[in-house]
């Protein structure tokens, strides 16, 4: 699941995603809001509420050793699809006592993550942060660098691949939990298909594609989107909006107001009680199982029986209904050749 911070969504919704992913062998992302120690100690238990991917942004909120140690991977956020270039912003009205303690910031103050240029001026700065995180975890955990799908994304990804990062996460412009200003969310960034194709080709041209894995999100709304992303070269995908929808979100785009009527993007007790965690996490599990079945059916129709046969095989895009004209317009059919 995508990076959605505790605070931007309720504790119950945040834990539901972690429990669901841990049950089926997936990975949830903590977001940059950190996790309470009470959740971290559940790692490996029957009801594991611990997010597998720990996001640190640039280390501004809620980062401590136990937090890093319980993650399967560590993620640096340089940008996200809904707010490329400006980081995240959690309004102070959503910072209650519990979130204040978890994020290690004063109650009621705006939580503004730094823009990429605040702490990272160059690839050398990024490399230093990557190496610092590896040292902090005894070189046992992969480091992810998350970037936005923008027009020069291929050049950015090329630098990241040389920084020592293990995984590049690319967030498409359709991402975001509704907390981004509308003028940014609707007008900034490029489709994930174009970003993924250009990054994959650039890394192949430079002979460094095998140095990193690529994970994409921000536009994964169906099983066909998963197949399309893998055919374009993605090693994995993450879902965020689709995950919230399965749990009961109605996509009101009012997450930043703290008045989510479905108990997901709010901290108000009278609204949070409308979310039933015991049902919500099962719905997310059911969604992933349903997509798994549909993906296998689509691959069967293409005459292949493994994701390895699909990965980077752009000819298979015809198998999900894209015609030659659409493929030519996207300019992706011959990328990587």
């Amino acid at each position: 699941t995508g990076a959605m911070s505790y605070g931007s969504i309720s504790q119950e919704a945040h834990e539901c995603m972690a429990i669901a992913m841990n049950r089926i062998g997936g990975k949830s992302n903590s977001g940059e809001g950190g996790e309470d120690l009470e959740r971290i100690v559940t790692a490996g238990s029957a009801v594991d509420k611990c997010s597998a991917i720990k996001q640190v942004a640039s280390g501004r909120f809620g980062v401590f050793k136990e937090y890093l140690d319980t993650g399967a991977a560590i993620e640096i956020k340089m940008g996200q699809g809904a707010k490329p270039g400006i980081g995240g912003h959690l309004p102070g009205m959503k910072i209650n006592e519990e979130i204040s303690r978890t994020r290690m910031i004063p109650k009621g103050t705006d939580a503004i993550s730094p823009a990429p240029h605040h702490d990272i001026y160059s690839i050398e700065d990024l490399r230093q942060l990557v190496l610092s995180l590896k040292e902090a975890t005894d070189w046992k955990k992969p480091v992810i660098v998350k970037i936005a799908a923008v027009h020069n994304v291929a050049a950015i990804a090329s630098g990241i691949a040389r920084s020592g990062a293990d995984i590049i996460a690319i967030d498409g412009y359709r991402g975001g939990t509704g907390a981004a200003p509308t003028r940014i969310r609707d007008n900034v960034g490029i489709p994930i298909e174009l970003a993924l194709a250009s990054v994959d080709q650039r890394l192949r041209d430079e002979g460094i594609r095998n140095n990193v894995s690529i994970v994409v999100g921000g536009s994964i709304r169906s099983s066909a989107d998963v197949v399309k992303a893998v055919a374009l070269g993605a090693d994995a995908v993450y879902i965020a909006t689709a995950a919230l929808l399965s749990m009961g979100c109605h996509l009101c785009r009012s997450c930043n107001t703290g008045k989510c009527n479905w108990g997901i993007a709010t901290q108000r007790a009278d609204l949070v009680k409308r979310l039933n965690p015991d049902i919500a996490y099962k719905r997310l599990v059911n969604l992933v199982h349903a997509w798994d079945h549909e993906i296998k059916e689509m691959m069967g129709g293409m005459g292949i029986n493994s994701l390895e046969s699909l990965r980077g095989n752009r000819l298979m895009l015809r198998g999900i209904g894209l015609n030659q004209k659409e493929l030519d317009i996207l300019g992706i059919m011959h990328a990587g050749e």
Side-chain angles (χ1 to χ4, degrees), residues 287-309:
L287 172 70
V288 177
H289 283 318
W291 282 15
D292 173 59
H293 180 74
E294 292 172 355
I295 289 168
K296 289 174 180 175
E297 285 188 334
M298 280 185 273
M299 291 197 303
M302 298 173 187
I304 56 177
N305 60 7
S306 72
L307 284 174
E308 288 304 321
S309 300

Side-chain angles (χ1 to χ4, degrees), residues 2 81 146-147 149 168-176 190-193 195-196 214-221 229 234 236-240:
K146 179 182 178 182
I147 56 176
I168 300 173
I170 308 172
D171 203 358
Y173 78 117
R174 287 191 295 177
I190 63 174
I192 195 63
E193 294 85 354
L196 177 55
I214 299 176
V215 182
V216 297
S219 298
I220 309 298
R221 307 292 176 85
V237 303
Y238 62 86
I239 59 172

Side-chain angles (χ1 to χ4, degrees), residues 247-270:
M247 291 164 55
C249 169
H250 281 53
L251 211 62
C252 300
R253 295 293 188 185
S254 60
C255 312
N256 58 317
T257 66
K259 300 177 182 178
C260 172
N261 286 320
W262 315 104
I264 294 175
T266 180
Q267 309 305 323
R268 283 176 46 179
D270 58 323

Side-chain angles (χ1 to χ4, degrees), residues 158-282:
S158 175
I160 292 171
R162 291 176 167 81
S163 72
D166 303 287
I167 301 168
I168 300 173
I170 308 172
D171 203 358
Y173 78 117
R174 287 191 295 177
T177 52
T182 302
R183 65 185 180 277
I184 294 175
R185 189 180 64 237
D186 295 343
N187 299 290
V188 179
I190 63 174
I192 195 63
E193 294 85 354
L194 296 179
L196 177 55
S198 64
V199 168
D200 185 62
Q201 170 143 13
R202 175 72 174 257
L203 298 184
R204 289 178 186 275
D205 290 344
E206 297 181 359
I208 55 175
R209 177 62 182 87
N210 292 333
N211 292 4
V212 292
S213 297
I214 299 176
V215 182
V216 297
S219 298
I220 309 298
R221 307 292 176 85
S222 69
S223 54
D225 288 335
V226 177
V227 172
K228 179 169 58 177
V230 175
L232 287 171
D235 296 287
V237 303
Y238 62 86
I239 59 172
T241 302
L244 294 182
L245 287 171
S246 72
M247 291 164 55
C249 169
H250 281 53
L251 211 62
C252 300
R253 295 293 188 185
S254 60
C255 312
N256 58 317
T257 66
K259 300 177 182 178
C260 172
N261 286 320
W262 315 104
I264 294 175
T266 180
Q267 309 305 323
R268 283 176 46 179
D270 58 323
L271 297 177
V272 169
K273 67 181 181 182
R274 298 181 183 181
L275 176 70
N276 186 333
D278 293 332
I279 295 176
Y281 92 84
K282 292 178 181 177

Side-chain angles (χ1 to χ4, degrees), residues 231 302 312-319 324 327 333-334 337:
M302 298 173 187
N313 191 346
R314 290 165 173 77
L315 293 173
M316 293 297 150
L317 290 169
R318 296 192 182 97
Q324 186 64 46
L327 295 173
M333 272 306 292
H334 304 292
E337 292 183 355

